[in-house]
Structures are given as C-alpha cells and as structure tokens.
Amino acid sequence: MAKEVVVTHEGYKKLEDELNTLRTVTRKEVAEKLKVARGYGDLSENAEYDAAKEEQAVVEARIADLEATLKVARVIDDSDLSTDTISIGMHVRILAEGDDEEDAEEYDITGSTEADIDAGRISDESPVGAALVGHKAGESVDVTLPNGSILEYKILAVSRTR
C-alpha cells in the first residue's frame, strides 16, 4: 500500500485544482499541438510532433501522480492540532546555535507535497522539519544535515500556520 500523504486543507485544494487544470485545460492544449504537428507531414522526422508527444507523456504522468497522491492523502484537521507542539500545520520560529535573535528563522511545517522553501514552508520529512516535529517552544533540537554535520536549533515560538 502507498504511503499516506498528510496535507492541509489548502494543500489538498491546490492538488485538486492542479489535477482539474491538467485534465480539462492542459490535455486539450497538448491534443491541439499534436493535431497541428501531425499536419506537418512525415511523423518520423517531425520535431514538433515528438515534442508534443513528450509533453503529453509528462502531463499524463503528472495526472497519474496527482491521482495517486489524492487517493492516499489525509487532510489534517486544524482543531486536532495542539497549539504548543510542532506538527504539520504549525508555524515555528527557530534560532540556530550561536546566531543572534534577529537571525531567527520562521517556517510553516507542511507535508512533503506542500513544501516550498522559498515560501518558508518546509516538509515534516526534511532534516529540519523532522527534527522539530513533536517538540515545544523553549526546547533545543539537534538537526543532522545530509552531509553529516549537526546543527542545534532553539525553538523560540510555535503557533498555528497563519
């Protein structure tokens, strides 16, 4: 059985929206590209046709991936979240050992499908996210990075994701 994927209500809706767009809009666009490319003649030497077929394969693979993810998705209920313990759906403020208070970092803890470091959203499966889950404000955690080094973070604050 596939591994359960934990998502927020917002994350689930985004996955559904992407799937709907791929099924209703993108598929039609790719089909039109294939139709136009077929009109160029000999398919064995038709770069446009090959590109459209490749795009079609990528779209269909993403659709299958989204369908599989949504089948095993578990939407977290905000009312089930403890407001003091770090879990998916929580916002954290952490400080690396040796840093000044103004260097504190803030993240939303998400499931792997919603992670986006540029938006301040880290997965509960990432090194930092996994180390933080289950801890509370005031505690310190050691984070083992992929290169083997260890960073210590102090948890300054925990709240629900905004």
Side-chain angles (χ1 to χ4, degrees):
M1 183 173 167
K3 179 182 157 212
E4 178 180 74
V5 176
V6 181
V7 295
T8 61
H9 288 285
E10 175 189 347
Y12 191 86
K13 176 81 171 104
K14 283 182 181 179
L15 293 173
E16 283 185 321
D17 291 347
E18 181 183 355
L19 178 59
N20 187 47
T21 299
L22 288 171
R23 285 177 172 164
T24 59
V25 177
T26 310
R27 265 185 179 159
K28 288 179 184 172
E29 290 171 351
V30 172
E32 183 60 30
K33 288 178 186 178
L34 281 167
K35 181 179 174 185
V36 169
R38 276 191 202 104
Y40 295 147
D42 185 7
L43 298 182
S44 65
E45 296 180 17
N46 187 328
E48 288 85 1
Y49 181 78
D50 291 341
K53 287 298 282 182
E54 188 172 317
E55 183 179 358
Q56 181 183 42
V58 169
V59 167
E60 293 304 322
R62 181 63 182 154
I63 287 171
D65 183 50
L66 287 169
E67 289 172 341
T69 298
L70 289 169
K71 281 183 185 174
V72 297
R74 179 174 62 88
V75 179
I76 58 167
D77 185 353
D78 290 347
S79 64
D80 292 341
L81 297 176
S82 167
T83 55
D84 60 350
T85 303
I86 299 172
S87 64
I88 291 175
M90 301 305 287
H91 181 83
V92 297
R93 187 164 185 263
I94 58 176
L95 184 64
E97 180 181 27
D99 282 356
D100 295 325
E101 182 84 23
E102 64 268 5
D103 295 325
E105 302 168 43
E106 295 192 33
Y107 299 106
D108 292 334
I109 307 297
T110 69
S112 59
T113 61
E114 298 176 77
D116 178 358
I117 192 65
D118 293 333
R121 300 169 63 91
I122 61 172
S123 167
D124 64 324
E125 297 174 10
S126 70
V128 173
L132 292 172
V133 168
H135 291 278
K136 299 178 181 192
E139 295 181 354
S140 292
V141 296
D142 289 335
V143 177
T144 303
L145 301 176
N147 66 7
S149 62
I150 297 176
L151 288 178
E152 183 178 336
Y153 283 98
K154 178 161 178 107
I155 302 167
L156 302 177
V158 179
S159 60
R160 288 196 176 160
T161 298
R162 301 172 208 146

